[in-house]
Amino acid sequence: VEPDAAQRLAIAERIERLHRDFGQEPVVREQLATALYNATVVEPDAAQRLAIAERIERLGSDVGNLPAVQDWLNEIRRRAVDAEESF
């Protein structure tokens, strides 16, 4: 497990390039959504977490709303709100 938020996002971006360049297979899209979600887990910046959530949301709208993706988006948004309220 990669502990660095920037590295996690870089890995997700590599998956995204492969997805774009070599066909948009559903299984790769799902792995991309997972990688993006994992990047939010250790991302300290609430605004960055929301930006990543928007990317996941776009993926979901392209392929249909998967329940797991919706759960992730709700969790990301909740953590972002919690972080803002703690200031």
Side-chain angles (χ1 to χ4, degrees):
V1 175
E2 175 57 55
D4 181 78
Q7 263 312 98
R8 285 186 184 204
L9 189 54
I11 292 166
E13 288 170 351
R14 289 173 61 191
I15 294 170
E16 188 171 35
R17 274 195 306 278
L18 290 170
H19 177 253
R20 183 182 57 242
D21 294 346
F22 296 103
Q24 299 188 359
E25 297 293 324
V27 69
V28 178
R29 222 177 346 261
E30 187 176 325
Q31 292 301 312
L32 174 56
T34 301
L36 288 168
Y37 170 75
N38 287 336
T40 70
V41 172
V42 294
E43 175 57 57
D45 180 5
Q48 181 66 15
R49 282 195 304 271
L50 288 175
I52 295 169
E54 288 173 4
R55 290 172 66 181
I56 296 170
E57 196 165 37
R58 282 193 301 272
L59 273 176
S61 67
D62 289 346
V63 298
N65 292 324
L66 302 171
V69 172
Q70 288 304 312
D71 291 344
W72 293 342
L73 291 170
N74 291 335
E75 181 181 337
I76 294 164
R77 289 184 185 114
R78 181 189 50 76
R79 285 184 301 166
V81 168
D82 290 348
E84 288 177 359
E85 290 176 352
S86 68
F87 284 109

